[in-house]
Amino acid sequence: YTTNRMSKRYLISGLPSTGKSTVTTELLRRGYYAIDADAAIASKTSEGWIWNEDRLQHALLNSNDRDVFICGSATNRDEFINLFDSVFILYIDNVTMRHRLTSRTNNNFGKDPNILAKQLRNNLGVKEYSLKRGRLVIDATRPSTTVVDMILEKL
């Protein structure tokens, strides 16, 4: 994956409903090279969402020397963390997460009470965990344009 390059590689990740796909759309609207990892890199398996290494490599190497934003998460995400210059974690509180998961219209993930409870448990401590690992934590309860502004300010 290493090349002589001036462009940067950014990962924008977070739990379900934190706004990764919305951030992708906003970055694309602004003319950035952004990829929705769920659509382009990941596959659903019995182990959950798994990133395909070849697809990820293709996305990273075909940026035409532009900065690339990979937006998404997967069970095996941490295997690829070292490929990124910076890692942003979108974070929302549990009240916001509950609302977003139960009211979303683009898919049904999180509407099942057991899955919802699991996601709310997973969200506990995410902010602290991410900060300890040097991730850039972004308050994703704000409007998507503001979230993207906050990300771009940290580049």
Side-chain angles (χ1 to χ4, degrees):
Y1 296 116
T2 57
T3 60
N4 294 330
R5 61 182 169 80
M6 296 295 291
S7 61
K8 300 281 187 178
R9 299 166 171 175
Y10 302 107
L11 173 61
I12 300 172
S13 196
L15 290 174
S17 78
T18 56
K20 300 174 298 292
S21 295
T22 304
V23 164
T24 307
T25 301
E26 179 61 19
L27 285 165
L28 289 168
R29 188 187 70 75
R30 295 185 190 196
Y32 289 93
Y33 179 58
I35 296 173
D36 184 334
D38 284 355
I41 297 169
S43 300
K44 187 163 175 54
T45 71
S46 59
E47 295 144 29
W49 282 99
I50 300 294
W51 281 353
N52 176 287
E53 189 170 355
D54 291 336
R55 287 188 220 148
L56 178 59
Q57 178 181 2
H58 179 77
L60 293 173
L61 295 177
N62 289 295
S63 65
N64 296 321
D65 294 323
R66 295 185 293 163
D67 290 349
V68 59
F69 295 85
I70 302 293
C71 306
S73 193
T75 304
N76 63 339
R77 175 194 73 184
D78 288 348
E79 294 175 26
F80 305 105
I81 287 287
N82 62 332
L83 301 178
F84 297 95
D85 295 292
S86 296
V87 178
F88 295 89
I89 301 295
L90 303 181
Y91 174 75
I92 57 177
D93 57 77
N94 272 4
V95 172
T96 303
M97 180 177 277
R98 177 184 301 279
H99 172 73
R100 287 184 183 178
L101 286 173
T102 58
S103 64
R104 67 189 341 183
T105 57
N106 61 332
N107 68 64
N108 288 324
F109 184 83
K111 293 186 185 289
D112 176 277
N114 294 323
I115 292 173
L116 175 61
K118 179 180 179 190
Q119 292 307 309
L120 294 171
R121 280 192 310 276
N122 289 346
N123 197 40
L124 297 174
V126 162
K127 185 176 182 180
E128 296 76 15
Y129 178 86
S130 299
L131 289 169
K132 282 183 195 174
R133 279 147 190 81
R135 313 299 185 236
L136 300 163
V137 177
I138 301 293
D139 176 359
T141 61
R142 299 172 184 251
S144 60
T145 53
T146 303
V147 170
V148 170
D149 288 343
M150 293 186 314
I151 291 168
L152 296 176
E153 284 170 12
K154 294 185 182 292
L155 301 186

